[in-house]
Amino acid sequence: MSHTFRFSHPEPTPVRTRVWPVFLPFAGCPYRCVFCAQDKQTGQDEADLESTLHALEADLDEALALGRGPYELAYFGGTFTALPPPWPETFLALAMRYRERGLITHVRCSTRPDCVDELSLSRLRAQGLDMVELGVQSFDDTALKSSGRGYTGDVARAACEIVKASGLALGVQLLPGLPGDRPGMFASDVRIAADLEPETARLYPCLVIKGTLMARMWARGEYEPWTLERAKSELAEALPVLWGKSVRVIRLGLAPEGTLEGNIAAGPWHPAFGQSVRGMALLEILRVEINRFGGCGTHLDVPRRYSGELYGHGRELASLYFDLGLSESSISFVDGDCFELKSTPR
Ligand code: SF4
């Protein structure tokens, strides 16, 4: 007798917004971290705040005149909460002026865990800030020390709580494969991050980017980045942990923006990294569901929105579905949100 069962993907519903990124490379940073190359990632040199502000204002005016938007304004690439006064307030006041005219709906910024306190975050919230993305990188004291981050795991944890206590939405960024890494460390960081229940997470496996201190460490044999295969498999295992706590994972691996690609000296980077990782996570979810019902799948309906990731990048996972008893002709893409497996028990 055949069985039919339905299940849904554990990923929380994505929030579709148009993000308007404003890059402030290294602005407010107390020093340059060993791995960081915001200039290469953004294709911009160190931020000149005055000219960034004027260019942003002109671009927002143009967008308004053309009837574009609405947008979520995101101040990225530096340490926003440590910008010299009155720059945080000035950037938020600009956002507020366009919020009042309907062009901007939401404002977020990125910063370091050791540059937040409840009083100043509450003030920034009153001035229109909605979300803080913390560059936690790791909660592990050894990795934080080996990477010269200048704070401990406890400080990173407390910073996450401070953001939430200030009434702001929290985003967490993790950087697996830092100097000082050891087996199981990233999985532990992911569990800690998930338990803190941020709204979003970004997972950026550590890359060796030319011109950074880390590139010199790597050239001297003092640092070895993760392989691409390890990065894919560890991140694929991390996704269900974060999804299980309703954390939206909004980025997997650095985007090929600016001059990044030509400046990667070593490390786990691939233009389709996210697609591979999501595909591997989905395969594991399906494997668990098939095993849970003790059957050999004979037909699988897959919501159409997962068609781009089911087989991974370049169909790298296609043969593994065959091993699960699912040939290509037994998989259909359908409208709706539910997976449906028709199976014949073994
Ligand atoms: S990692 Fe963050 S704090 Fe460090 S230099 Fe880069 S932007 Fe600044």
Side-chain angles (χ1 to χ4, degrees), residues 160-222:
C160 293
E161 301 290 5
I162 288 169
V163 171
K164 291 170 77 173
S166 307
L168 291 157
L170 170 68
V172 164
Q173 175 179 309
L174 295 178
L175 225 110
L178 281 169
D181 179 57
R182 59 177 184 282
M185 201 181 90
F186 176 57
S188 163
D189 279 342
V190 168
R191 282 193 300 274
I192 295 169
D195 286 344
L196 288 161
E197 300 187 354
E199 275 194 16
T200 65
R202 297 174 188 263
L203 309 176
Y204 295 118
C206 202
L207 301 176
V208 178
I209 300 179
K210 292 175 191 168
T212 60
L213 192 56
M214 186 174 271
R216 296 209 286 280
M217 293 162 69
W218 171 71
R220 290 195 299 261
E222 295 165 9

Side-chain angles (χ1 to χ4, degrees), residues 100-170:
E100 285 160 358
R101 293 149 86 185
L103 185 66
I104 301 297
T105 54
H106 196 265
V107 182
R108 66 169 81 178
C109 73
S110 62
T111 194
R112 293 169 51 97
D114 54 352
C115 290
V116 294
D117 65 79
E118 201 167 331
L119 192 65
S120 39
L121 285 188
S122 300
R123 211 178 54 237
L124 295 178
R125 180 174 170 246
Q127 290 161 349
L129 186 63
D130 298 290
M131 180 176 202
V132 171
E133 293 199 37
L134 284 179
V136 165
Q137 323 308 13
S138 175
F139 294 98
D140 185 272
D141 288 347
T142 305
L144 290 169
K145 191 162 182 209
S146 305
S147 309
R149 285 290 284 172
Y151 55 84
T152 61
D154 283 348
V155 168
R157 259 188 289 256
C160 293
E161 301 290 5
I162 288 169
V163 171
K164 291 170 77 173
S166 307
L168 291 157
L170 170 68

Side-chain angles (χ1 to χ4, degrees), residues 6-337:
R6 292 184 183 83
F7 53 94
S8 47
H9 196 292
E11 181 176 21
T13 309
V15 175
R16 305 272 174 221
T17 54
R18 275 181 285 189
V19 174
W20 183 310
V22 182
F23 294 113
L24 308 170
F26 301 118
C29 299
Y31 49 81
R32 291 202 183 186
C33 300
V34 294
F35 50 81
C36 186
Q38 286 297 334
D39 48 346
K40 312 279 189 332
Q41 282 167 237
T42 62
Q44 294 174 8
D45 291 331
E46 205 155 325
D48 170 348
L49 299 179
E50 195 75 51
S51 53
T52 303
L53 183 80
H54 292 313
L56 175 59
E57 189 164 19
D59 290 345
L60 290 172
D61 276 338
E62 189 185 346
L64 201 58
L66 292 171
R68 297 201 177 123
Y71 297 99
E72 181 173 344
L73 202 61
Y75 294 110
F76 286 156
T79 304
F80 189 81
T81 56
L83 291 178
W87 280 108
E89 295 77 5
T90 305
F91 279 115
L92 292 176
L94 178 74
M96 185 60 86
R97 290 205 293 280
Y98 291 89
R99 196 172 194 146
E100 285 160 358
R101 293 149 86 185
L103 185 66
I104 301 297
T105 54
H106 196 265
V107 182
R108 66 169 81 178
C109 73
S110 62
T111 194
R112 293 169 51 97
D114 54 352
C115 290
V116 294
D117 65 79
E118 201 167 331
L119 192 65
S120 39
L121 285 188
S122 300
R123 211 178 54 237
L124 295 178
R125 180 174 170 246
Q127 290 161 349
L129 186 63
D130 298 290
M131 180 176 202
V132 171
E133 293 199 37
L134 284 179
V136 165
Q137 323 308 13
S138 175
F139 294 98
D140 185 272
D141 288 347
T142 305
L144 290 169
K145 191 162 182 209
S146 305
S147 309
R149 285 290 284 172
Y151 55 84
T152 61
D154 283 348
V155 168
R157 259 188 289 256
C160 293
E161 301 290 5
I162 288 169
V163 171
K164 291 170 77 173
S166 307
L168 291 157
L170 170 68
V172 164
Q173 175 179 309
L174 295 178
L175 225 110
L178 281 169
D181 179 57
R182 59 177 184 282
M185 201 181 90
F186 176 57
S188 163
D189 279 342
V190 168
R191 282 193 300 274
I192 295 169
D195 286 344
L196 288 161
E197 300 187 354
E199 275 194 16
T200 65
R202 297 174 188 263
L203 309 176
Y204 295 118
C206 202
L207 301 176
V208 178
I209 300 179
K210 292 175 191 168
T212 60
L213 192 56
M214 186 174 271
R216 296 209 286 280
M217 293 162 69
W218 171 71
R220 290 195 299 261
E222 295 165 9
Y223 171 72
E224 194 56 47
W226 278 11
T227 62
L228 184 58
E229 288 317 305
R230 178 174 177 193
K232 282 187 199 174
S233 92
E234 292 231 13
L235 269 70
E237 285 174 25
L239 287 180
V241 179
L242 292 161
W243 289 338
K245 293 280 187 159
S246 302
V247 182
R248 288 184 289 113
V249 181
I250 56 174
R251 187 75 218 171
L252 295 163
L254 286 177
E257 286 170 342
T259 53
L260 176 75
E261 207 169 337
N263 280 292
I264 298 172
W269 191 82
H270 187 281
F273 183 77
Q275 185 190 15
S276 285
V277 171
R278 289 179 58 90
M280 289 168 71
L282 179 54
L283 174 66
E284 195 49 37
I285 290 162
L286 294 172
R287 193 196 309 276
V288 168
E289 294 293 350
I290 289 168
N291 287 339
R292 178 179 301 171
F293 289 92
C296 181
T298 54
H299 192 92
L300 177 68
D301 283 345
V302 177
R304 207 174 298 285
R305 69 171 187 268
Y306 299 104
S307 61
E309 63 197 59
L310 185 78
Y311 295 118
H313 172 66
R315 302 179 52 78
E316 62 195 337
L317 305 174
S319 65
L320 299 176
Y321 280 92
F322 201 75
D323 296 345
L324 284 181
L326 291 165
S327 66
E328 208 158 317
S329 61
S330 66
I331 296 177
S332 309
F333 295 105
V334 297
D335 295 332
D337 293 328

